[in-house]
């Protein structure tokens, strides 16, 4: 790291004590900026780097709610409005017991550059709560969402800040939050949230978009070597929104996904994942991965280790941050893995990323590879603003085009800054320069 960049990083660590995931995300971006600043020193002027690592606004609030037994719970809500240079803050809401300020800040920071890569005029933000929806009734989830939105509503709006889903927040939660927002505002602002139901302003392909995009990114990376996903064995982690639709698109492109997981263990299904069964278990029944194995002869459940212990050609981490460490990366490489495309945000630890890059395999970082979700959220906003609806093929064609453009921007930036094939540098440099140029144009704000 260059001196100037090192100083900014040290400041981030000092001012955001204990927020280790945020430190990790900032380090990864700043580390890539050495060659960019060496070539364009003006990016280090006007405290631009100091400003870009400081959220424009951080909101933290109490979320009291009553469970079915009449007991009162108090959770903590967050919304980090990180950077609005390119457009309204945009990024998901995560409901998971591990949520804290550092996690939301890391996600919001990543989101700035990811959203810039989509070239759709959206700024970066993220939010959520340490609420755990697992095992809660629909009525409890609804009361929680209503309480959460009662505070959040004063900070968001179609031109200000547009949240979406993330871990623990899907169509059901977006529905409850939208209902409460509409009631509080007495205004049908469809564009205030994305990931909505199709009958009330949602976009076709939004549900599929992140997983599809991650696989399309893998396919684009493979095409630079004259290869494709056809016939490849694919390892997927997670069994949520991103994982399910990564499996679907991989199957459509002729690959064979053989694993998935949740926090109770992982499943190996050598015959290839039965997607209809997985959707039934996870999307309809909200069950555990063991429920799949019970109904699928030949599939096995493993409760220790991780999907990365299984040999395969392509790895798609689609669960959560830091789920793939240096040891797992070494095991994957020994097993013959030649492509990693990140569906989750920051799923690979710095040691894992280093191992992949040293081995010279194709590595697509989340901020590029999983940008299809937010890109399709921006398409949803576009349809809401125009009071129009596109069919599936139109929305999917737009997503495919955006993913190809993101891939090509990463390739071009990696070449421009002297590290061809380095998608980490490419994504960070291309995303950063787009945001930085506009921050400079807007003056010191
Ligand atoms: P879901 O809640 O739909 O699914 C998350 C999956 O990952 C579940 O199977 C969950 O298992 C598992 N998981 C989550 N946390 C852990 C953990 N700490 N340990 C083990 N397993 C875990 O979330 P999404 O699919 O939407 O999100 C997955 C990842 O993709 C996240 O990193 C998210 O930030 C990222 N992402 C999502 C986008 C979207 O459009 N949804 C867009 C871009 C990125 P269990 O149910 O047992 O907890």
């Amino acid at each position: 790291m260059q001196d100037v960049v090192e100083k900014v990083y040290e400041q981030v660590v000092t001012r955001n004590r204990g927020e280790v995931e945020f430190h990790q995300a900032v380090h990864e971006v700043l580390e890539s900026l050495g060659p960019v600043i060496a070539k364009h020193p003006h990016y280090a002027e006007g405290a631009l780097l100091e400003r870009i690592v400081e959220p424009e606004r951080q909101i933290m609030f109490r979320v009291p709610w009553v469970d079915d037994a009449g007991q009162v719970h108090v959770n903590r809500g967050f919304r980090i409005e990180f950077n609005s240079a390119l457009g309204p803050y945009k990024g998901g809401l995560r409901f998971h017991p591990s949520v804290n300020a550092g996690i939301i800040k890391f996600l919001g920071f990543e989101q700035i550059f990811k959203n810039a890569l989509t070239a759709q005029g959206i700024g970066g933000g993220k939010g959520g709560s340490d609420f755990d929806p697992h095992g809660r009734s629909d009525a409890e989830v609804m009361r929680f969402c209503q309480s959460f939105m009662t505070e959040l509503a004063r900070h968001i709006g179609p031109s200000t800040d547009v949240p979406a889903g993330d871990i623990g927040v899907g169509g059901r939660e977006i529905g409850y939050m939208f209902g409460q927002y509409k009631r509080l505002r007495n205004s049908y602002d469809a564009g205030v949230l994305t990931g909505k139901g199709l009958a009330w302003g949602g976009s076709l392909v939004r549900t599929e978009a992140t997983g599809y995009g991650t696989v399309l990114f893998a396919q684009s990376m493979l095409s630079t070597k004259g290869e494709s996903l056809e016939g490849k064995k694919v390892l997927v982690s997670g069994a949520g929104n991103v994982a399910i639709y990564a499996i679907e698109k991989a199957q459509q492109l002729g690959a064979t996904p053989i694993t998935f997981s949740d926090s109770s263990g992982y499943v190996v299904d050598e015959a290839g994942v039965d997607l209809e069964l997985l959707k039934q278990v996870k999307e309809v029944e909200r069950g555990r991965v063991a429920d799949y194995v019970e109904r699928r002869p030949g599939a096995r459940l493993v409760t220790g280790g991780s999907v990365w212990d299984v040999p395969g050609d392509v790895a798609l981490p689609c669960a959560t941050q830091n789920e793939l460490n240096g040891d797992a990366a070494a095991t994957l490489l020994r097993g013959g893995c030649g492509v990693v495309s990140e569906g989750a945000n920051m799923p690979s630890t710095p040691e894992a990323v280093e191992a992949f890059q040293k081995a010279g395999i194709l590595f697509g970082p989340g901020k590029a590879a999983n940008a299809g979700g937010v890109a399709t959220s921006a398409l949803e906003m576009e349809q809401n603003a125009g009071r129009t609806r596109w069919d599936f093929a139109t929305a999917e064609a737009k997503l495919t085009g955006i993913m190809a453009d993101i891939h090509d921007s990463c390739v071009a930036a990696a070449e421009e800054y002297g590290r061809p094939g380095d998608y980490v540098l490419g994504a960070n440099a291309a995303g950063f320069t787009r945001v930085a140029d506009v921050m400079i144009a807007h003056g010191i704000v």
Side-chain angles (χ1 to χ4, degrees), residues 220-228 338 360-362 421:
S220 292
M221 290 196 294
L222 277 162
S223 73
T224 65
K225 308 258 179 212
E227 292 180 46
S228 81
I361 69 162
L362 295 166

Side-chain angles (χ1 to χ4, degrees), residues 54-69:
E54 185 68 19
E56 289 175 15
R57 190 174 299 108
Q58 305 186 50
I59 302 150
M60 206 164 135
F61 50 98
R62 182 172 72 195
V63 189
W65 59 281
V66 185
D67 70 17
D68 289 345

Side-chain angles (χ1 to χ4, degrees), residues 94 96 107 114 126 134 165-169 206 210 238-243 261-264 282 288 318-321 343-345 370 373:
R94 175 176 292 191
H96 192 272
L107 290 163
K114 179 191 309 195
K126 199 83 187 187
H134 287 108
D166 190 79
I167 291 177
V169 178
R206 176 60 189 91
T210 308
N241 173 259
V242 180
S261 65
D262 66 15
S263 53
S264 65
K282 282 293 178 182
R288 311 303 288 158
C318 297
T320 194
Q321 65 275 356
N345 285 310
N370 71 34

